[in-house]
Amino acid sequence: QTTILVVDDEEVIRDLVAQIFEDDGYQIYHATNGYEAGMMAERHRPDLILLDILLPDVDGRAVCRHEKIGIFQKRRVGRHQANLNRPV
């Protein structure tokens, strides 16, 4: 099932967006701030993150950069480990 993390400090917006996607069968996770978004993204690895830029604790762009770096680091580590297991 495709997963989406909805990040917004306004409950009405989070609920509205979640309802639209849940009606189409997506699994929705919620976060109310940048810190929560990072924790939820790490825990659930969503397929898509819908991210408010104006969050109360951390700018949404900083969250986006953090998640992008994390994804690239995991890919790099995974590729490196795969090469170690290959016969020489």
Side-chain angles (χ1 to χ4, degrees):
Q1 186 177 21
T2 302
T3 58
I4 300 173
L5 173 58
V6 179
V7 184
D8 201 299
D9 55 323
E10 295 186 41
E11 184 178 8
V12 173
I13 293 174
R14 276 193 324 271
D15 291 347
L16 178 63
V17 171
Q19 183 180 5
I20 291 167
F21 285 103
E22 283 173 336
D23 289 348
D24 286 336
Y26 295 94
Q27 172 67 46
I28 304 298
Y29 299 104
H30 302 263
T32 60
N33 58 50
Y35 177 77
E36 256 184 44
M39 298 301 289
M40 295 291 286
E42 184 66 31
R43 184 178 310 127
H44 298 290
R45 305 307 304 165
D47 299 299
L48 175 67
I49 300 174
L50 297 176
L51 178 64
D52 182 8
I53 297 299
L54 301 174
L55 296 170
D57 61 342
V58 179
D59 184 89
R61 290 172 286 227
V63 174
C64 187
R65 281 191 298 274
H66 178 265
E67 289 310 308
K68 183 176 179 182
I69 289 168
I71 289 168
F72 286 137
Q73 285 175 343
K74 287 182 181 186
R75 285 184 183 163
R76 204 173 308 133
V77 168
R79 195 170 27 236
H80 180 67
Q81 288 173 343
N83 289 340
L84 290 176
N85 295 329
R86 213 177 340 172
V88 179

